[in-house]
């Protein structure tokens, strides 16, 4: 189901700034038994991202009701919330005042091969590089053209995901996921001060590792450090955690961190 400003619909105004400029933000979350997992975390992130663009975030109670309505017929699936600045006249200047558009959807789970979770995944090192924009770093904004172009680089169904570097050659993320590596017993994830998206599952893994006494921190991860890592994981709210098995000529042996992460994600509902 798709709800636009609380009404069942499948379109927005041609003047909506989300369509014209990517002027908005979104969150994607897992629906389990018709209910969104980690709702409070996702709403908090949505609010932070709206604030970064100076867009008024819809009230939590309103979005919760609309998500429940959209998910009523989707027992296990994917929920998505989009908030745009709303409609405006031609030109980049934000309308004052603005009336944000909210779009809430619920769809079926993607059908990934079972082997991705069971045996690990093959990934593609993307040619496109993420540009630096500190003002938008960490924000899940609607302008995702870099990810679109990166995902277009491969069509082989055996490749599950693509890895993205920044302009300086540092590993940042997957096209749809956050990156972790295990290096010398420490758990590391790229810093997101210049680009990338700060995902909810990334946050959950970092908190869970730290609460269990593990060294878990952000760091500048050159591609060489990723290649030399003991383990490489990709995470998001829908897939949970996948272990990277192969990228080009580099193969990683199965490790124990993936099991820990999956246990943490199963235990930590919110």
């Amino acid at each position: 189901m798709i709800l636009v400003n609380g009404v069942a619909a499948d379109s927005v105004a041609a003047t909506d700034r989300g369509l014209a400029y990517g002027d908005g933000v979104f969150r994607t979350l897992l629906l389990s038994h018709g209910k969104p997992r980690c709702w409070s975390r996702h709403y908090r992130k949505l609010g932070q991202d709206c604030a970064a663009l100076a867009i008024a975030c819809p009230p939590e109670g309103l979005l919760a009701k609309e998500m429940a309505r959209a998910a009523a017929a989707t027992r296990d699936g994917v929920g998505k919330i989009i908030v745009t600045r709303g409609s405006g006249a031609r030109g980049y200047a934000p309308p004052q005042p603005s009336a944000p558009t909210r779009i809430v959807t619920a769809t079926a789970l993607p059908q990934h091969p079972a082997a991705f979770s069971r045996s690990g995944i093959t990934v593609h090192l993307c040619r496109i590089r993420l540009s630096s924009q500190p003002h938008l770093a960490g924000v899940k904004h609607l302008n995702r053209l870099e990810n679109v172009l990166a995902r277009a680089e491969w069509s082989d169904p055996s490749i599950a995901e693509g890895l993205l570097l920044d302009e300086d050659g540092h590993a940042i993320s997957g096209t749809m996921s956050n990156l972790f590596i295990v290096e010398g017993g420490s758990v590391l994830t790229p810093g997101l001060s210049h680009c990338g998206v700060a995902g909810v599952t990334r946050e959950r893994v970092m908190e869970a590792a730290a609460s269990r006494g593990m060294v878990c921190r952000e760091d500048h991860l050159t591609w060489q450090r990723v290649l030399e890592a003991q383990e490489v994981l990709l995470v998001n709210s829908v897939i949970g955690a996948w272990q990277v098995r192969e990228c080009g000529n580099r193969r990683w042996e199965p490790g124990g961190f993936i099991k820990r992460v999956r246990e943490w994600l199963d235990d930590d509902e919110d």
Side-chain angles (χ1 to χ4, degrees):
M1 175 180 280
I2 304 173
L3 300 176
V4 179
N5 293 328
V7 178
D10 60 1
S11 61
V12 296
T15 54
D16 194 279
R17 290 176 61 91
L19 173 64
Y21 306 119
D23 189 2
V25 300
F26 72 104
R27 304 304 307 181
T28 303
L29 51 105
L30 186 66
L31 300 174
S32 180
H33 304 290
K35 296 181 179 180
R37 290 195 62 181
C38 303
W39 171 259
S40 61
R41 289 181 184 267
H42 281 287
Y43 182 76
R44 175 168 49 82
K45 286 281 191 181
L46 182 74
Q48 291 170 351
D49 290 354
C50 281
L53 300 188
I55 295 174
C57 187
E60 181 175 4
L62 175 63
L63 287 178
K65 288 179 180 178
E66 291 180 353
M67 179 55 70
R69 182 180 163 201
T74 307
R75 187 167 178 78
D76 296 309
V78 179
K80 186 171 183 177
I81 300 171
I82 300 171
V83 179
T84 81
R85 200 178 302 275
S87 290
R90 181 183 177 279
Y92 291 126
Q96 297 293 339
S98 63
T101 299
R102 63 186 188 278
I103 303 168
V104 177
T105 70
T107 57
L109 285 169
Q111 297 301 306
H112 299 298
F116 287 0
S117 294
R118 183 179 64 249
S119 308
I121 63 171
T122 298
V123 300
H124 164 75
L125 178 60
C126 297
R127 295 184 298 275
I128 193 167
R129 299 294 181 92
L130 294 175
S131 57
S132 175
Q133 179 44 267
H135 289 289
L136 296 176
V139 177
K140 201 165 189 177
H141 54 79
L142 291 177
N143 192 330
R144 306 251 60 91
L145 281 177
E146 291 174 327
N147 304 66
V148 170
L149 294 176
R151 182 58 185 85
E153 290 184 13
W154 81 93
S155 57
D156 183 347
S158 69
I159 296 176
E161 174 63 308
L163 296 180
L164 290 164
L165 310 182
D166 67 11
E167 295 168 326
D168 296 320
H170 293 102
I172 299 297
S173 67
T175 67
M176 63 172 185
S177 56
N178 284 121
L179 171 69
F180 285 91
I181 70 169
V182 178
E183 179 186 83
S186 297
V187 180
L188 308 176
T189 191
L192 303 177
S193 59
H194 292 277
C195 57
V197 173
V200 162
T201 304
R202 174 182 184 268
E203 176 185 82
R204 293 171 66 199
V205 172
M206 293 181 72
E207 289 181 2
S211 70
R212 290 160 174 81
M214 299 182 69
V215 176
C216 182
R217 69 177 189 274
E218 295 182 340
D219 206 344
H220 294 293
L221 300 182
T222 63
W223 179 238
Q224 189 60 37
R225 288 181 73 181
V226 175
L227 291 175
E228 294 173 357
Q230 297 159 271
E231 296 181 57
V232 180
L233 273 65
L234 295 173
V235 304
N236 73 25
S237 294
V238 176
I239 66 172
W242 283 343
Q243 187 158 39
V244 176
R245 183 188 69 243
E246 182 177 353
C247 183
N249 295 324
R250 175 65 163 104
R251 291 183 63 89
W252 288 267
E253 294 300 319
F257 187 57
I258 184 72
K259 182 179 179 181
R260 286 187 176 187
V261 169
R262 287 174 176 163
E263 289 174 350
W264 299 342
L265 296 180
D266 286 340
D267 290 343
D268 175 25
E269 289 290 333
D270 201 280

